[in-house]
Amino acid sequence: MRLGGVCVLMAVSLSVGLGGCATLPSTDRTASAEAPVADGTKVQELLSRMSLERKVAQLIQPQINSFTAEDMERYRFGSYLNGGDGGPYGDELAPASEWLRLADEMWTASTRPLPGDEPAIPTMWGTDAVHGHANVVGATIFPHNIALGATRDADLVRRIGAATATEIAVTGIDWNFSPTVAVARDDRWGRTYESYSEDPQLVAQLGRALVEGLQGIEGTPDFLRKDKVIATAKHFFGDGGTAQGIDTGDVNGDIEALKAVHAVPYPVAIDAGVQVVMASFNSINGVKMHGNKQLLSDYLRGELGFDGLVVGDWNGHGQIKGCTVTNCPHALLAGLDIYMVPEDWRPLLESLVGQVKDGTIPMSVVDRAVGRVLQVKLRAGLLGPDAKKPSSRYHGGSLDLLGSTDHRALAREAVAKSQVILKNSGVLPIRAGANILVAGRAADSVVRAAGGWTLSWQGSEDIAGKAFTKEDFPGTTSIWEGIRDAAEQSQGNAVISPDGSFADKPDVAIIVFGEKPYAEFAGDLKTLVFADEEGLDLLRKFQAKGIPTVAVFLSGRPMWMNREINASDAFVASWLPGSEGAGVADILFGKREASGRLSFSWPADCGGAPVNSSDRALFPFGYGQSLADRTSPNRLDETCDYLDQRPSAIWFDLGRLSNGIRASADGIDLPSLRGEGGGIVSRGIDKDRQADAREITFDAGSTIAIEQDGKGEGDFVILYNLANAPIDAVTLTVGETNFDITRQLQLSAGKGWREMMITDNCAPGLGNRLSIASAGPLKLQVARISRRELPKGTECSF
């Protein structure tokens, strides 16, 4: 690529017409990162009349359920957000009219006149509309980015951006935290589906298109006007390159080589006029991006010439060394402009004001950051004499545009163009007049087809214990409904049977199956084994009865599917298509040509090691069959050492230590891993049943040890949960090997129950004893400790 006119050797292997050293736009925006913001005199004039407290409030972004309109009127936050699980007035399923009502309410509170000459600055609302405005009931749910990457259609993505902007704007929201321009390089990452591709150039191309769709084309009269919204390129940078695909983890390596992959989309987005860049949770070579001045200021602003604002991610500033969520001058000094602080906004605001007063933060730094916020508001028409409350703007309150017929047709087009046929022995397209059986629990589920970031953060199948129903997805078409309608139109017949049972033998069976919804770290995997065998069982059942089968696989990433591909006559990677399942049927019935091509290499083995156009690919980047292509791969190897991983020995499970296993703290026995001694208190807690797990509380300097009588064999697998990150060193000793696991535990904290896998890779010899020592206070929950013979070469992971 070209950065500043210098061709940098790409650190990836590119193909399918995207190879070579692509020319990315040079920009004349380059300016000193320390230069004050001065878009004319308006920003400076406003700054000169603002109090310190009002300035700092411009840099605070709380979430909607943590403050009131009265708080907005008092503090005058520069912006606010709704989280993935946040709806107006505490109702996640609130109708669109309530979203608009809250937007008006907050705008009005922020613009009430202030005493004296101090200006009242309108606030702005940001949201995660990452595949359409899918937080709102009735919105069009577009395919996730991984599917759009398979279309390779920038014009399509641009049109999706424009439709999404309209649906955001009619609900009164000003700002979208999108596009995600991560270059996902390890498919075990739980956010892989938010990435367009493993190829940085394709990500850059489609990221630019979405920016232009959301904001309009820079230099035209409609740029950031009418029904356009502010776009955000995220997450800067390296989010898709973490070790082992661990969300919010560490990215290490030569900085220029990292830029040559993970920074590629940013100069392209900047050239398109993107107004916001979001800092990433990850670290680069040990430095958290929220506090990385070298990259946030010197590189992003100085070298790349970005002149918009930098927003943090959800409490991301609190992960900087020396910071807490409520006390972090480091981020502002490094180049962050807005702190995303969902709940703890008040103490953070107070600490920042105090740090300006005591000189920790120079006033010039505050003015520069506030100036950037004001500048973006001016550019977006949110500040100035023509600024209007949300319901009075262009299309304001035109809620009939939400999920409109045109937008749903666009989503259906995107679904069809994103389908990738990996195998077809001739069953596709389905012949006219066929009798069709549709099986699989996902077939009639828009929730399963939509994935994460749909009505809720995780895209779960229920909310507050109430299962979603069809009424929660008005106007949508499930994959089953699309197939049913297409069959009728072709003079055929389709019936649905989730468990695959039938009375009359069908001509063909379509099995719809795949991953259940997830978002962010909840989707992180250790391997690419697809553990749910519902689809495999159904495919083999029909295969045994001589019924041709079509596998429709819903997933947020490529996965090891050798068994399912072998058992099917046709296999379609359907990704996470969203609300318009008829687009899937368009391909199955040949209404559209199959043009989808892989934007990620498909793995040949199940271990999960990054593929990225290497010889580990079963289907390479760019692969995809047309409907006329009747080639099928030779029978694939179904061997996977990670299947049926049964423990060779159980040390602790269901609240009990096994015979021959002893636990102790400072020489004091802890029968059943319960009791206290040596600064350790271990008590029973309920995970799945009464007292089936332990919560171990460490005093500073305490150690707990567990050992087996006689010789132990196998790798260690520990099921654990850590609510809060350790603040002092934590040391794991396995056999004769000691290693610091502080960083690994910091990354796993707050992510729920996880498996720690300790193998010969990091603890040669393993032995029959393990211990954990904490230099500071720590609470660790443990549900199971076992030993397994993991495949040779398995990485240690946490």
Side-chain angles (χ1 to χ4, degrees):
M1 67 171 187
R2 293 186 183 273
L3 287 177
V6 179
C7 185
V8 180
L9 180 65
M10 296 296 291
V12 292
S13 172
L14 304 177
S15 58
V16 195
L18 291 167
C21 183
T23 300
L24 298 183
S26 296
T27 174
D28 59 3
R29 303 167 186 267
T30 305
S32 167
E34 299 301 319
V37 174
D39 239 19
T41 59
K42 181 62 177 176
V43 167
Q44 296 303 318
E45 188 270 332
L46 290 170
L47 284 169
S48 70
R49 294 192 287 125
M50 294 176 69
S51 67
L52 170 61
E53 289 75 11
R54 301 284 187 240
K55 288 178 179 179
V56 172
Q58 288 294 310
L59 314 181
I60 299 293
Q61 187 180 85
Q63 64 111 345
I64 56 176
N65 294 324
S66 72
F67 71 98
T68 64
E70 290 72 25
D71 292 324
M72 176 64 78
E73 183 174 356
R74 177 180 175 184
Y75 293 100
R76 308 299 173 107
F77 309 116
S79 61
Y80 61 102
L81 81 149
N82 62 280
D85 283 333
Y89 311 105
D91 183 1
E92 293 180 53
L93 299 180
S97 59
E98 289 294 273
W99 292 76
L100 181 62
R101 181 165 76 92
L102 182 65
D104 274 353
E105 187 178 327
M106 292 302 174
W107 187 91
T108 300
S110 71
T111 56
R112 286 201 172 96
L114 289 163
D117 190 37
E118 186 163 8
I121 308 295
T123 191
M124 56 183 175
W125 183 348
T127 191
D128 279 293
V130 298
H131 65 135
H133 196 22
N135 285 307
V136 180
V137 173
T140 309
I141 306 170
F142 290 97
H144 270 293
N145 284 355
I146 191 170
L148 299 183
T151 72
R152 284 170 160 69
D153 189 336
D155 177 68
L156 173 68
V157 173
R158 190 176 295 108
R159 287 184 284 135
I160 287 172
T164 299
T166 296
E167 297 200 13
I168 292 171
V170 301
T171 58
I173 298 176
D174 315 286
W175 174 8
N176 188 12
F177 301 143
S178 179
T180 300
V181 290
V183 183
R185 303 290 288 175
D186 190 322
D187 299 343
R188 292 172 293 185
W189 185 36
R191 303 189 79 157
T192 296
Y193 66 77
E194 295 186 53
S195 171
Y196 293 110
S197 178
E198 69 189 35
D199 179 342
Q201 296 191 23
L202 182 56
V203 173
Q205 176 191 2
L206 299 184
R208 178 186 187 116
L210 196 75
V211 169
E212 292 175 341
L214 291 168
Q215 295 189 162
I217 306 296
E218 190 174 29
T220 66
D222 289 344
F223 180 65
L224 288 171
R225 291 298 186 272
K226 294 186 175 179
D227 55 352
K228 301 304 182 185
V229 296
I230 297 164
T232 307
K234 68 180 188 183
H235 309 83
F236 184 81
F237 77 94
D239 48 348
T242 60
Q244 299 181 354
I246 296 172
D247 190 44
T248 76
D250 298 323
V251 181
N252 300 303
D254 175 76
I255 189 61
E256 295 306 320
L258 294 176
K259 289 177 183 177
V261 176
H262 298 288
V264 170
Y266 288 93
V268 180
I270 292 167
D271 188 69
V274 72
Q275 294 299 295
V276 181
V277 167
M278 182 180 287
S280 187
F281 278 119
N282 62 271
S283 65
I284 299 280
N285 293 326
V287 181
K288 278 289 185 180
M289 279 304 305
H290 278 67
N292 196 323
K293 183 178 185 297
Q294 180 183 7
L295 295 175
L296 284 183
S297 292
D298 301 343
Y299 178 58
L300 177 62
R301 294 195 183 280
E303 186 173 338
L304 298 186
F306 178 60
D307 67 353
L309 68 87
V310 176
V311 65
D313 207 340
W314 190 280
N315 283 335
H317 59 278
Q319 297 182 9
I320 300 170
K321 186 176 181 179
C323 283
T324 66
V325 169
T326 60
N327 185 347
C328 191
H330 310 58
L332 192 61
L333 294 169
L336 197 75
D337 297 315
I338 292 179
Y339 292 81
M340 186 185 289
V341 56
E343 306 290 340
D344 298 304
W345 52 267
R346 196 189 313 265
L348 177 64
L349 191 154
E350 292 170 352
S351 69
L352 288 171
V353 169
Q355 286 154 358
V356 178
K357 289 180 177 178
D358 69 18
T360 301
I361 302 173
M363 182 62 81
S364 61
V365 171
V366 174
D367 283 347
R368 188 173 65 232
V370 176
R372 290 166 180 157
V373 175
L374 299 181
Q375 175 178 255
V376 168
K377 289 182 178 183
L378 282 167
R379 290 175 179 171
L382 303 177
L383 178 60
D386 297 328
K388 299 176 182 178
K389 70 178 181 178
S391 62
S392 299
R393 297 173 191 162
Y394 186 86
H395 280 337
S398 300
L399 299 179
D400 57 315
L401 294 173
L402 199 71
S404 69
T405 300
D406 287 346
H407 292 174
R408 294 194 183 281
L410 176 61
R412 179 174 177 171
E413 176 188 349
V415 173
K417 288 182 174 180
S418 69
Q419 304 300 291
V420 179
I421 298 175
L422 299 181
K423 176 182 180 180
N424 181 19
S425 63
V427 68
L428 294 179
I430 295 170
R431 66 172 176 81
N435 290 315
I436 304 161
L437 179 70
V438 179
R441 293 189 297 271
D444 196 26
S445 172
V446 174
V447 172
R448 293 284 294 274
W453 298 104
T454 307
L455 295 189
S456 68
W457 173 37
Q458 293 293 323
S460 53
E461 297 183 78
D462 62 75
I463 192 163
K466 175 186 174 292
F468 284 123
T469 65
K470 183 67 175 175
E471 286 68 39
D472 295 314
F473 295 92
T476 62
T477 304
S478 70
I479 294 173
W480 147 246
E481 290 169 330
I483 293 170
R484 178 199 62 198
D485 295 347
E488 290 177 0
Q489 292 164 13
S490 70
Q491 309 306 308
N493 179 62
V495 295
I496 187 167
S497 173
D499 66 0
S501 59
F502 59 87
D504 298 320
K505 185 177 179 180
D507 298 320
V508 62
I510 301 173
I511 297 88
V512 185
F513 66 103
E515 291 189 288
K516 292 182 179 179
Y518 55 83
E520 300 191 43
F521 57 80
D524 286 356
L525 295 176
K526 301 288 187 183
T527 71
L528 290 179
V529 173
F530 183 59
D532 186 343
E533 296 193 348
E534 176 206 16
L536 179 62
D537 291 343
L538 288 168
L539 287 165
R540 286 176 172 171
K541 170 183 175 179
F542 292 121
Q543 185 182 51
K545 295 179 182 295
I547 299 170
T549 55
V550 179
V552 176
F553 181 52
L554 304 176
S555 72
R557 62 191 125 209
M559 300 192 76
W560 183 73
M561 287 279 111
N562 290 20
R563 298 178 299 169
E564 289 83 355
I565 293 171
N566 282 340
S568 63
D569 294 287
F571 189 98
V572 181
S574 195
W575 313 114
L576 298 171
S579 62
E580 306 310 308
V584 177
D586 288 341
I587 299 302
L588 301 184
F589 286 82
K591 292 184 176 182
R592 282 182 177 269
E593 179 51 76
S595 59
R597 300 295 181 263
L598 292 177
S599 61
F600 287 85
S601 306
W602 197 277
D605 64 66
C606 65
V611 182
N612 300 325
S613 299
S614 71
D615 58 6
R616 290 189 296 274
L618 174 63
F619 300 110
F621 173 89
Y623 182 84
Q625 296 180 205
S626 69
L627 285 168
D629 185 349
R630 304 300 174 88
T631 60
S632 296
N634 295 328
R635 184 168 181 82
L636 303 175
D637 183 5
E638 297 188 3
T639 303
C640 175
D641 291 337
Y642 291 96
L643 291 172
D644 300 321
Q645 276 290 321
R646 293 182 175 85
S648 56
I650 298 289
W651 279 28
F652 174 78
D653 193 22
L654 299 177
R656 288 181 171 83
L657 290 169
S658 298
N659 292 334
I661 307 297
R662 291 177 288 108
S664 63
D666 196 23
I668 300 172
D669 285 342
L670 300 175
S672 295
L673 194 56
R674 197 171 191 167
E676 59 182 285
I680 294 287
V681 176
S682 182
R683 68 182 187 91
I685 60 169
D686 302 341
K687 179 183 179 288
D688 300 315
R689 61 190 72 179
Q690 184 176 355
D692 63 343
R694 296 289 180 265
E695 182 176 79
I696 305 168
T697 302
F698 295 73
D699 283 345
S702 56
T703 301
I704 190 167
I706 305 175
E707 57 189 310
Q708 177 182 6
D709 294 336
K711 184 180 179 181
E713 294 183 350
D715 303 298
F716 286 100
V717 180
I718 303 171
L719 182 62
Y720 75 103
N721 179 39
L722 191 66
N724 298 303
I727 58 175
D728 293 299
V730 181
T731 302
L732 175 67
T733 301
V734 178
E736 302 299 320
T737 304
N738 301 315
F739 51 102
D740 188 327
I741 60 170
T742 312
R743 179 63 184 148
Q744 291 90 331
L745 293 184
Q746 288 171 341
L747 290 175
S748 65
K751 295 181 178 179
W753 289 93
R754 299 171 69 83
E755 280 192 334
M756 182 187 306
M757 301 166 74
I758 309 299
T759 72
D760 268 320
N761 269 11
C762 61
L766 291 171
N768 65 344
R769 184 179 190 274
L770 66 82
S771 67
I772 299 175
S774 180
L778 179 72
K779 281 190 177 180
L780 177 68
Q781 296 177 345
V782 176
R784 186 183 308 114
I785 303 171
S786 64
R787 302 197 74 164
R788 300 183 200 168
E789 294 293 340
L790 296 172
K792 187 176 181 180
T794 298
E795 298 174 286
C796 294
S797 59
F798 293 82

